[in-house]
Amino acid sequence: MKEYIDKVKFSFLFNGISSRELELALDCLRAEDMHFPKGMVIVKEGELCERFGLLISGQLQSTQYDYQGNRSIIQTIEPLQIFNENYCFVHEKSPVNIETVEDSHVLFLKSDIQGSTFPPACSFHRRLLNNLFIIQTHKNVELTQKLECMSKRTTREKLMTFLKIESLKQGSKEFDIRLDRQQLADYLGIERSAMSAELSRMVKEGLIRTRKFHFEIV
């Protein structure tokens, strides 16, 4: 357990919880760490969620596929972020897949933080609940931003809205994103070829500069 306690203690889920309390919390949460290779589905859409995950290293994405097999990226999950906690707490089936973008190390936590599985002596219970509330608030903001992008009618409007949001997040008109071109197209719900053509036009018109993952709003 010691080898990943030193890593997960920096997750906001355990903010304000001491190293000693963290050991108790992970025991109460029946923590189980697992390694997965790149390109693996570790949670399937329609699967009953009995545990949620905390990404220790690597990168994950929550995705959905339509009846034609077209992929939509709902969220990118970075190290020390949690996933599928909402469905776990209400014992619902996952409406999304969780896929590995890179080789990933995941800590699964099998318990209901909102329930009565914690003994009365768990002094960290209230802090965990408070941290979860803040995490969910941030996730709601991210989903609102995604909806803002998706609500735009044209490919250009979707791209410019996405880039504007990323620029504000990073506090600069010049920034990197962690999505490749296919992932960006899947996130915005547009065809990659149409998106690439629009990006080229935006560069020629002097609206942006871009190279691979790097963008600059001119």
Side-chain angles (χ1 to χ4, degrees), residues 74-90:
I74 309 302
Q75 181 189 23
T76 297
I77 301 157
E78 303 289 355
L80 301 183
Q81 292 182 340
I82 61 175
F83 59 91
N84 272 28
E85 69 281 2
N86 286 339
Y87 318 124
C88 170
F89 298 152
V90 294

Side-chain angles (χ1 to χ4, degrees), residues 3 10 37 46-47 88 90 98 112 142 160 183 198 209:
E3 63 272 15
F10 295 107
E47 179 180 319
C88 170
V90 294
I98 303 294
D112 183 357
E142 291 177 359
M160 286 305 297
Q183 292 168 344
E198 191 59 51
R209 298 188 185 99

